[in-house]
Coordinates of all heavy atoms in Angstrom, one line a residue:
F1 N -111.8 64.9 184.5 CA -112.9 65.7 185.1 C -112.2 66.6 186.3 O -112.4 67.8 186.3 CB -113.9 64.9 185.8 CG -114.8 65.6 186.8 CD1 -115.9 66.4 186.3 CD2 -114.7 65.5 188.1 CE1 -116.7 67.1 187.1 CE2 -115.4 66.2 189.0 CZ -116.5 67.0 188.5
L2 N -111.4 66.0 187.1 CA -110.7 66.7 188.1 C -109.8 67.8 187.6 O -109.7 68.9 188.2 CB -109.9 65.8 189.0 CG -110.8 64.8 189.9 CD1 -109.9 63.8 190.6 CD2 -111.6 65.6 190.9
C3 N -109.2 67.5 186.4 CA -108.3 68.5 185.8 C -109.1 69.7 185.4 O -108.7 70.8 185.6 CB -107.6 67.9 184.6 SG -106.4 69.0 183.8
C4 N -110.2 69.5 184.7 CA -111.1 70.6 184.3 C -111.7 71.3 185.4 O -111.7 72.5 185.4 CB -112.3 70.0 183.4 SG -111.7 69.3 181.8
F5 N -112.1 70.6 186.5 CA -112.6 71.2 187.7 C -111.6 72.1 188.3 O -111.9 73.3 188.7 CB -113.0 70.1 188.7 CG -113.5 70.6 190.0 CD1 -114.8 71.0 190.2 CD2 -112.6 70.7 191.1 CE1 -115.3 71.4 191.4 CE2 -113.1 71.1 192.3 CZ -114.4 71.5 192.5
R6 N -110.3 71.7 188.4 CA -109.3 72.5 189.1 C -109.0 73.7 188.2 O -108.7 74.8 188.7 CB -108.0 71.7 189.2 CG -108.2 70.6 190.4 CD -107.0 69.7 190.4 NE -107.2 68.6 191.4 CZ -106.8 67.4 191.4 NH1 -106.1 67.0 190.3 NH2 -107.0 66.6 192.4
K7 N -109.1 73.6 186.8 CA -108.8 74.7 186.0 C -109.9 75.8 186.2 O -109.6 77.0 186.0 CB -108.8 74.3 184.5 CG -107.5 73.6 184.1 CD -107.6 73.2 182.6 CE -106.3 72.5 182.2 NZ -106.3 72.2 180.8
I8 N -111.1 75.4 186.5 CA -112.1 76.4 186.8 C -112.0 77.0 188.1 O -112.1 78.2 188.4 CB -113.5 75.7 186.6 CG1 -113.7 75.3 185.1 CG2 -114.6 76.7 187.0 CD1 -113.8 76.5 184.1
V9 N -111.8 76.1 189.1 CA -111.8 76.5 190.6 C -110.5 77.3 190.9 O -110.5 78.3 191.7 CB -112.0 75.3 191.5 CG1 -111.8 75.8 192.9 CG2 -113.3 74.7 191.2
S10 N -109.4 76.9 190.4 CA -108.1 77.5 190.7 C -108.0 79.0 190.6 O -107.5 79.7 191.4 CB -106.9 76.8 190.0 OG -105.7 77.4 190.4
P11 N -108.5 79.6 189.4 CA -108.4 81.0 189.3 C -109.2 81.8 190.3 O -108.9 83.0 190.5 CB -109.0 81.3 187.9 CG -108.8 80.0 187.2 CD -109.0 78.9 188.2
T12 N -110.1 81.2 191.0 CA -110.9 81.9 192.0 C -110.4 81.5 193.4 O -111.0 82.0 194.4 CB -112.4 81.5 192.0 OG1 -112.5 80.1 192.3 CG2 -113.0 81.8 190.6
E13 N -109.2 80.8 193.4 CA -108.7 80.4 194.7 C -109.7 79.8 195.6 O -109.9 80.2 196.7 CB -108.0 81.6 195.4 CG -106.9 82.2 194.6 CD -106.2 83.5 195.3 OE1 -106.2 83.5 196.6 OE2 -105.8 84.4 194.6
N14 N -110.3 78.8 195.0 CA -111.4 78.0 195.7 C -112.5 78.9 196.1 O -113.0 78.8 197.3 CB -110.8 77.3 196.9 CG -111.7 76.1 197.3 OD1 -112.4 75.5 196.4 ND2 -111.7 75.8 198.6
F15 N -113.0 79.8 195.2 CA -114.1 80.7 195.4 C -113.8 81.6 196.6 O -114.7 81.8 197.5 CB -115.4 79.9 195.6 CG -115.7 79.1 194.4 CD1 -115.6 77.7 194.4 CD2 -116.2 79.6 193.2 CE1 -115.9 76.9 193.3 CE2 -116.5 78.9 192.1 CZ -116.3 77.5 192.2
D16 N -112.7 82.3 196.6 CA -112.4 83.3 197.6 C -113.3 84.5 197.3 O -113.7 84.9 196.2 CB -110.9 83.7 197.4 CG -110.5 84.7 198.6 OD1 -110.9 85.9 198.5 OD2 -109.9 84.2 199.5
A17 N -113.8 85.1 198.4 CA -114.7 86.3 198.3 C -114.2 87.4 197.5 O -115.0 88.1 196.9 CB -115.0 86.8 199.7
K18 N -112.9 87.5 197.3 CA -112.3 88.7 196.6 C -112.7 88.6 195.0 O -112.6 89.6 194.4 CB -110.9 88.9 196.8 CG -110.0 87.8 196.3 CD -108.6 87.9 196.7 CE -107.7 86.8 196.2 NZ -106.3 87.0 196.6
Y19 N -113.1 87.4 194.6 CA -113.4 87.2 193.2 C -114.9 87.2 193.0 O -115.4 87.1 191.8 CB -112.9 85.8 192.7 CG -111.3 85.8 192.7 CD1 -110.7 85.1 193.8 CD2 -110.6 86.3 191.7 CE1 -109.3 85.0 193.8 CE2 -109.2 86.3 191.7 CZ -108.6 85.6 192.8 OH -107.2 85.6 192.8
C20 N -115.7 87.4 194.0 CA -117.1 87.4 193.9 C -117.6 88.7 193.3 O -117.2 89.8 193.7 CB -117.8 87.2 195.3 SG -119.6 87.2 195.2
I21 N -118.4 88.6 192.2 CA -118.8 89.8 191.5 C -120.4 90.0 191.6 O -120.9 90.9 191.0 CB -118.4 89.8 190.0 CG1 -118.9 88.6 189.3 CG2 -116.9 90.0 190.0 CD1 -118.6 88.5 187.8
G22 N -121.0 89.1 192.4 CA -122.5 89.2 192.5 C -123.0 88.1 193.3 O -122.4 87.0 193.4
S23 N -124.2 88.2 193.9 CA -124.8 87.1 194.6 C -126.3 87.3 194.6 O -126.9 88.4 194.4 CB -124.3 87.1 196.1 OG -124.6 88.3 196.7
G24 N -127.0 86.1 194.8 CA -128.5 86.2 194.8 C -129.0 85.0 195.7 O -128.2 84.4 196.4
G25 N -130.3 84.7 195.5 CA -130.9 83.7 196.4 C -130.3 82.3 196.0 O -130.2 81.4 196.8
F26 N -130.0 82.1 194.7 CA -129.5 80.8 194.2 C -128.1 80.6 194.5 O -127.7 79.5 194.9 CB -129.8 80.8 192.7 CG -129.1 79.6 192.1 CD1 -129.6 78.3 192.1 CD2 -127.8 79.8 191.4 CE1 -128.9 77.2 191.5 CE2 -127.1 78.7 190.8 CZ -127.7 77.5 190.8
G27 N -127.2 81.6 194.4 CA -125.8 81.4 194.5 C -125.0 82.7 194.4 O -125.6 83.8 194.3
S28 N -123.7 82.5 194.3 CA -122.8 83.7 194.1 C -122.1 83.5 192.7 O -121.8 82.4 192.3 CB -121.8 83.8 195.2 OG -122.4 84.0 196.5
V29 N -121.8 84.6 192.1 CA -121.0 84.7 190.8 C -119.6 85.2 191.1 O -119.4 86.2 191.7 CB -121.8 85.5 189.8 CG1 -121.0 85.5 188.5 CG2 -123.2 85.1 189.7

């Protein structure tokens, strides 16, 4: 699980704002 989690999170550098492509009331994309 942690391996899959890191594979998703790592490309966004832990959800850095520079990778954000949209946001709304629920969350950010």
Side-chain angles (χ1 to χ4, degrees):
F1 167 79
L2 289 175
C3 180
C4 292
F5 177 83
R6 287 168 184 151
K7 284 182 178 180
I8 295 294
V9 174
S10 179
T12 65
E13 298 179 31
N14 200 30
F15 298 107
D16 190 280
K18 66 185 178 183
Y19 296 99
C20 184
I21 56 175
S23 61
F26 168 81
S28 298
V29 181

